[in-house]
Structures are given as structure tokens and as C-alpha cells.
Amino acid sequence: MKNLPLLGLFVVFSIAALISSLGTAFQTLPLNPDMAEMALIYQGIVHHGWRFPFTWQFTQDNQVLSLLPFSIIFYALAGVSGTSIIVQGWLIFVVNALLTGLLVKVATKSWNWAGLAWLLALLASPMAVGQPAILAYPVTHNSVWAFGLLGTIGLIRYFTDRPGWALPLLLVCVGVGTISDPWFDAAFTAPILLIAWKSPKFFQTEKATRRTLIKSVIITYIFGRIAYFGLELLHMVPGRSIGFSSLSAILHHLVLLAKSMGMLLQLYPFPSGWLTWIFWGVYLVGLCGAVILSFQARRQISPTVKVLLAFSWLSIGIISAAFVLTNFANGIWASR
């Protein structure tokens, strides 16, 4: 009973954050083709039958497994409209916030930290959430991000107490991400393989545990690439034609990366008034303090948090390198 007031306060904050995030979702209007793609495919299935998706030309980040099955169910229940398209994306955003909280709970064993993570995820700024920026909902890469969060939960549990479901969950996420999003390789699959390779040093993992994970991930990835090649043969997705950037483009990408990370951390765009500059400065000092304290406490953290931190740093580093060094990005929209 003593925690009842705190629970009530958490519920009030959660409702307020949900309402705020829904309002932010509608700030993404007008719709762009990425947002409406699943609705168009659903309408095609309704009017032309189940063969319709095989006549559709998807982009490389195709959401064939990460979103399409769930979208068909959603639009069958809610119908297709501008509002339902936005609400679908908002629901994906909410699911990712829930998974973020669950991931923090798995890592820290604390529902208090999980609740704080849930609220912070919901309260991402409009610049971080909207069309041109990091979280980029209502659809695009945000749907496959859910599988990245689920897979990270499976990774942590696999390296700590190894329940029977951890490895299958991780492999399902690798398969879905490999087929549905080319950037999943850099953000998820490659970090997992590197962690498994170095796990005896980082986590005192047995060789059999490490080898099982490496072999399983590689086999799943190969089958995922074969499935993607099958989609290419059906002319449903284009071939992947990402190459290296020129030196001038790399410098441009570094600027875009700095701006997009500033959006994610709510440090950019810069304030315009003196009062907002004061708040911005206080926030920056607090953010730097949190980073310094986390580095000071890194030797005292639990094995679960070590796995999460190792994966997070590798994921951030590899996907950032891919963003800077490849020829894909030519605008702030690419930061999603």
C-alpha cells in the first residue's frame, strides 16, 4: 500500500505522456509515401486479392515481415483513413516505448528504472520523432526497431541465465531484420557477432555458448539474405546498391550525423531566446553529468547491464560508421 501513491503518479504521468505523444504523431502530417504504403497494400489485397503484394515494388526497407502482417490485421479492424495511418504509427511508437522499458527492466532488474525509460521514450521531442529525424515514425525503420529491442532482450538473457526461448527469439529477430531492413545488419546483426566473438573476454562466456550463438546467427543471416534474393527475383525489392562515399560527402555526412544526434538528444535546433538558452544549458550540464557518473560506475554494474552497454556502443558505432562512410545519406531525412 505504501507504493500506491507512487503508482498512481506513474499512471497519471503515463496517460499524460501517451496523450502528448499522440499529439506529436499528428504533427507528422502531411503523410508521405512511406507512411501510407501499408495502407495502400492492404487496399490492394482487398480489391485484387492476396496476389497483390507480389505485384508491388517495395523499397529496400520493405517491412515485409516487420510490419505488413500486423498492418493487415490493424487496417482490417480500423479501416483505412488518414487518422488510422497516423494511429498505426503511433501504436508502433508506443510498443517500442514499452519494449524500451522492458529492456531496461531486464538489464537493471528494476521496475522503477523501467518506468522512467518508458516515460522518457514517450516524451521524445517532435524534432526527434517526426518525418525527417531519428525515430521517424509512424512507420519506416521504426517497425523493425521493435525486433531490434526484442532481440537485445534475448541477447541479454542468453548471456546471463540462458532460458530456452532466448536464442530462438534472437534468431527470429535477426531473420526478420535481415529481410525487412538493410540497416539492421549494421545496427543489430554485426554487433551481436562481435559481442559473441569477444564474449569470453567481456563476460567470461563458455566457448560452446559463444560458438552456438555465432553459428546460429550466421546461418539465420544467410537464409535471410537468400529470402531477400528471392524477393529480388520476384521484382518486389531492388538490389542493394550502397557504396562508399567521396571525401566531401563523408564530411557532409558528419555534419548530418551531428545534427541528427542533436535532435535525438533534444540539443538541436539551438534555442532562440535567452530563457530557452538557460534551460538548454542546464539540460546540457545535466546530460554531461549523467554520462560522467555512468562512466564512473561502469565497474560496479551487473553482467546484464554490461551486455546491454557492450551491444549499445557497438550498435551506435557501426551504424554511425555506415551512415558516414556510405553514399546513402544526402539529407537530414536519412538520419532515421
Side-chain angles (χ1 to χ4, degrees):
M1 292 296 292
K2 63 181 181 180
N3 292 327
L4 194 58
L6 184 62
L7 179 61
L9 187 62
F10 172 74
V11 171
V12 171
F13 281 154
S14 294
I15 294 173
L18 286 168
I19 294 172
S20 174
S21 65
L22 183 59
T24 303
F26 279 93
Q27 292 181 37
T28 62
L29 291 169
L31 296 176
N32 65 28
D34 279 349
M35 296 177 183
E37 183 176 36
M38 295 297 118
L40 292 172
I41 294 172
Y42 171 76
Q43 291 283 53
I45 292 173
V46 169
H47 293 289
H48 304 288
W50 289 100
R51 292 184 179 182
F52 181 80
F54 295 97
T55 68
W56 188 264
Q57 179 69 51
F58 290 90
T59 58
Q60 288 183 346
D61 45 318
N62 53 71
Q63 298 112 37
V64 167
L65 292 180
S66 63
L67 182 57
L68 183 57
F70 309 100
S71 293
I72 291 173
I73 297 173
F74 172 79
Y75 287 122
L77 295 173
V80 175
S81 65
T83 298
S84 66
I85 291 173
I86 295 294
V87 169
Q88 178 215 26
W90 175 72
L91 290 174
I92 297 171
F93 184 71
V94 171
V95 167
N96 281 334
L98 281 170
L99 290 174
T100 299
L102 181 59
L103 175 59
V104 171
K105 170 61 174 65
V106 169
T108 65
K109 307 292 195 299
S110 168
W111 282 112
N112 291 332
W113 287 115
L116 181 60
W118 148 260
L119 291 174
L120 289 175
L122 287 178
L123 292 174
S125 73
M127 287 300 293
V129 169
Q131 291 186 28
I134 296 287
L135 304 183
Y137 79 82
V139 285
T140 66
H141 303 274
N142 214 19
S143 60
V144 82
W145 187 16
F147 290 90
L149 292 167
L150 277 172
T152 309
I153 291 171
L155 178 71
I156 293 173
R157 294 297 300 274
Y158 180 78
F159 275 123
T160 51
D161 49 0
R162 291 199 69 183
W165 53 264
L167 183 59
L169 174 64
L170 194 155
L171 296 179
V172 167
C173 294
V174 170
V176 170
T178 301
I179 296 171
S180 297
D181 196 315
W183 299 106
F184 197 81
D185 302 346
F188 188 80
T189 307
I192 283 181
L193 290 173
L194 287 173
I195 286 176
W197 179 39
K198 291 292 186 179
S199 60
K201 177 182 178 181
F202 292 156
F203 317 120
Q204 290 78 48
T205 308
E206 297 177 358
K207 288 185 177 180
T209 301
R210 177 188 64 167
R211 289 173 180 171
T212 299
L213 179 60
I214 291 175
K215 290 179 180 177
S216 301
V217 170
I218 290 175
I219 291 171
T220 304
Y221 175 76
I222 290 173
F223 276 103
R225 291 297 293 127
I226 292 172
Y228 187 92
F229 181 67
L231 295 177
E232 285 185 51
L233 294 178
L234 293 171
H235 304 289
M236 293 178 68
V237 295
R240 297 181 180 178
S241 57
I242 297 174
F244 286 102
S245 296
S246 63
L247 180 59
S248 60
I250 288 175
L251 296 176
H252 177 59
H253 294 169
L254 286 171
V255 174
L256 289 178
L257 181 64
K259 288 182 178 180
S260 58
M261 290 302 295
M263 289 179 184
L264 177 64
L265 297 174
Q266 302 191 36
L267 293 172
Y268 181 85
F270 296 115
S272 56
W274 66 270
L275 183 60
T276 50
W277 268 110
I278 292 175
F279 283 120
W280 187 90
V282 171
Y283 169 65
L284 179 61
V285 171
L287 182 64
C288 293
V291 172
I292 292 171
L293 289 174
S294 67
F295 272 101
Q296 289 180 344
R298 68 187 186 277
R299 294 180 181 178
Q300 305 172 10
I301 58 179
S302 65
T304 55
V305 176
K306 284 183 179 180
V307 177
L308 178 59
L309 287 178
F311 172 82
S312 298
W313 283 114
L314 284 170
S315 180
I316 291 169
I318 295 173
I319 195 66
S320 297
F323 180 85
V324 171
L325 297 177
T326 64
N327 59 4
F328 175 77
N330 55 23
I332 194 65
W333 59 269
S335 64
R336 69 186 63 174

